[in-house]
Amino acid sequence: AQTVTQSQPEMSVQEAETVTLSCTYDTSESDYYLFWYKQPPSRQMILVIRQEAYKQQNATENRFSVNFQKAAKSFSLKISDSQLGDAAMYFCAGDSNYQLIWGAGTKLIIKP
Amino acid sequence: NAGVTQTPKFQVLKTGQSMTLQCAQDMNHNSMYWYRQDPGMGLRLIYYSASEGTTDKGEVPNGYNVSRLNKREFSLRLESAAPSQTSVYFCASSYQGLGEFFGPGTRLTVL
């Protein structure tokens, strides 16, 4: 069975600094997709970034980028130039047979 | 293009009452999902529908039923609400590896 592990319950970063959130996705599949979602205090779930496992190039969306290490099963999210609006819960997820398998989430605190 | 819409946004029920949460998507996605999220917790899958005409149980299906009315609509029914079903309910839809797109959620309180 696939599992997604986020080992950091909470992270904090100074505004304008860079922070990396960690995630591991254990699967026997060779082709799959990985995602990072953001959930701000409004509770809306927002798709931040998506990575296809067969692509060697790491995905980037503006200030958000991933470091995907397939062999190590690692899928970390880097947020550059952190802003107050980045404060949220961040969930990592991997797809499996029409479903997403979710991590427990990391709470990101931005210090002004 | 409204994306995923959910009604109602808030609901208060008494124990034993029934209700149906409505969800609709206009993105022509094949798959739809119902999740619950308890305070301070992650998402737990209640039911999903991989395609029109099919539904399957997720992690926490007890006390719920679903109907995939057509490709656009996927409803969640609580037949006899219990306080343990107090939660925020999210509907989502997806298409082949694009990820899941979520509605704004329904905040349900069962007294």
Side-chain angles (χ1 to χ4, degrees):
Chain A
Q2 291 85 347
T3 57
V4 177
T5 303
Q6 293 181 253
S7 58
Q8 304 155 317
E10 186 174 296
M11 293 280 286
S12 62
V13 63
Q14 207 71 34
E15 193 177 3
E17 297 293 309
T18 295
V19 64
T20 299
L21 309 183
S22 301
C23 174
T24 59
Y25 180 51
D26 194 357
T27 179
S28 57
E29 303 289 329
S30 58
D31 191 17
Y32 50 91
Y33 297 88
L34 295 169
F35 307 90
W36 278 98
Y37 283 81
K38 170 185 178 181
Q39 187 177 41
S42 66
R43 306 295 291 266
Q44 177 71 50
M45 291 290 289
I46 302 164
L47 177 61
V48 174
I49 199 164
R50 167 180 172 270
Q51 175 75 42
E52 299 175 60
Y54 66 87
K55 285 192 174 179
Q56 293 189 343
Q57 186 173 7
N58 288 324
T60 299
E61 290 286 344
N62 300 313
R63 297 182 296 107
F64 298 86
S65 61
V66 300
N67 183 3
F68 177 48
Q69 302 290 329
K70 192 172 184 179
K73 306 181 194 299
S74 171
F75 180 59
S76 60
L77 175 70
K78 186 171 84 171
I79 306 174
S80 304
D81 185 26
S82 297
Q83 300 175 1
L84 294 177
D86 295 333
M89 285 291 293
Y90 286 82
F91 293 95
C92 174
D95 74 335
S96 170
N97 195 24
Y98 297 107
Q99 302 176 42
L100 288 184
I101 309 301
W102 295 87
T106 296
K107 182 178 182 179
L108 180 62
I109 298 167
I110 311 294
K111 298 178 181 177
Chain B
N1 194 345
V4 180
T5 57
Q6 292 183 235
T7 55
K9 287 188 167 54
F10 300 94
Q11 184 71 49
V12 179
L13 293 177
K14 294 180 179 178
T15 297
Q17 288 185 317
S18 62
M19 77 162 295
T20 299
L21 281 64
Q22 306 286 354
C23 174
Q25 53 93 9
D26 62 1
M27 296 175 282
N28 202 35
H29 287 171
N30 291 330
S31 302
M32 297 186 73
Y33 309 82
W34 276 106
Y35 290 93
R36 62 177 286 174
Q37 185 179 34
D38 299 331
M41 305 290 286
L43 297 170
R44 291 191 292 172
L45 183 64
I46 304 171
Y47 272 93
Y48 69 100
S49 171
S51 61
E52 188 179 354
T54 69
T55 60
D56 286 285
K57 294 178 180 179
E59 180 187 355
V60 288
N62 291 345
Y64 305 94
N65 285 300
V66 291
S67 296
R68 183 74 182 266
L69 304 170
N70 48 55
K71 192 171 186 179
R72 290 187 64 247
E73 298 173 287
F74 189 39
S75 63
L76 177 72
R77 182 160 178 85
L78 286 70
E79 289 292 351
S80 178
S84 60
Q85 294 178 305
T86 293
S87 191
V88 179
Y89 291 83
F90 289 100
C91 177
S93 69
S94 75
Y95 180 77
Q96 291 185 355
L98 293 180
E100 293 180 13
F101 294 84
F102 286 77
T106 295
R107 196 177 295 266
L108 175 68
T109 302
V110 182
L111 302 175

